[in-house]
Amino acid sequence: MLVAAVAVVAAFFTACTSKTADTKAEAMTVDSLERVLPSSVGDTVEVEGLLARVCAKTGKKACMVNPDSSFTLRLTAAPEFTFAPELAGKNVTVKGIVREDSLTNEVLAAMVASYVEAPDSLKTGACPNGSCCSAACEDTAAFAARIQELYNRLDARKLADGKEYVSVYTIETVACDAK
């Protein structure tokens, strides 16, 4: 009976003191998250930073940047969430799940084909003032530059470690609060 009681207390203590494997306890900066993105896929995180842009068309995409704007973190809204346009340009805390997309030559070629087939109205910077982070709102030059950058990253990765894909990380966002 004593052993059973000790086991129950130990189980309770363990349950109350361990954090779940998929949750990071405290808000991170964009820079600190960038350093751990590959090992954080599937984790729920909170990230603090500047919400640089929000898609004015749908509110379903946004971008956070680090203080020197050298790294952009793409955010996609979970199905039940939308980014408020007035949060663009403000420091915010975003909560969501880290997702990874593996881009291969085939995936990039499909992205190009999809863009080519899209109506011209979407290829003219449909979101005002560059307020969107998605290819659907990029003009042809911006899209071509982004695709070329991804092809360059893919080529560099093949040379460095033989892998035939590059990873692109996003946060599937469920909450975004201004500071």
Side-chain angles (χ1 to χ4, degrees):
M1 180 123 165
L2 180 61
V3 172
V6 169
V8 169
V9 170
F12 179 75
F13 178 73
T14 301
C16 291
T17 59
S18 68
K19 74 176 190 179
T20 59
D22 66 341
T23 303
K24 303 283 185 198
E26 40 192 71
M28 304 156 87
T29 65
V30 175
D31 283 329
S32 64
L33 179 61
E34 179 187 13
R35 290 189 290 275
V36 297
L37 274 170
S39 63
S40 298
V41 175
D43 289 352
T44 298
V45 297
E46 285 190 18
V47 185
E48 296 176 347
L50 176 66
L51 193 65
R53 295 182 300 276
V54 173
C55 179
K57 206 170 177 187
T58 66
K60 289 299 201 178
K61 299 210 181 265
C63 295
M64 288 182 91
V65 295
N66 63 350
D68 66 2
S69 297
S70 63
F71 178 71
T72 300
L73 179 62
R74 290 180 184 259
L75 309 171
T76 58
E80 67 281 353
F81 180 76
T82 303
F83 292 99
E86 62 272 8
L87 292 177
K90 297 189 177 172
N91 285 314
V92 298
T93 300
V94 170
K95 181 177 182 180
I97 301 168
V98 178
R99 301 290 186 208
E100 176 184 25
D101 288 319
S102 297
L103 303 180
T104 62
N105 275 321
E106 294 79 15
V107 170
L108 292 175
M111 289 170 65
V112 169
S114 176
Y115 185 82
V116 168
E117 293 171 6
D120 286 341
S121 63
L122 292 178
K123 299 175 190 174
T124 58
C127 286
N129 303 322
S131 63
C132 187
C133 300
S134 73
C137 297
E138 289 180 326
D139 63 30
T140 302
F143 178 78
R146 188 166 66 86
I147 291 295
Q148 186 59 54
E149 186 265 333
L150 289 168
Y151 273 118
N152 291 344
R153 285 178 50 197
L154 181 59
D155 290 342
R157 181 140 194 212
K158 281 182 198 174
L159 288 173
D161 60 15
K163 299 210 173 162
E164 304 253 349
Y165 68 92
V166 291
S167 294
V168 175
Y169 301 95
T170 59
I171 304 295
E172 182 181 342
T173 307
V174 297
C176 180
D177 299 308
K179 290 184 176 185

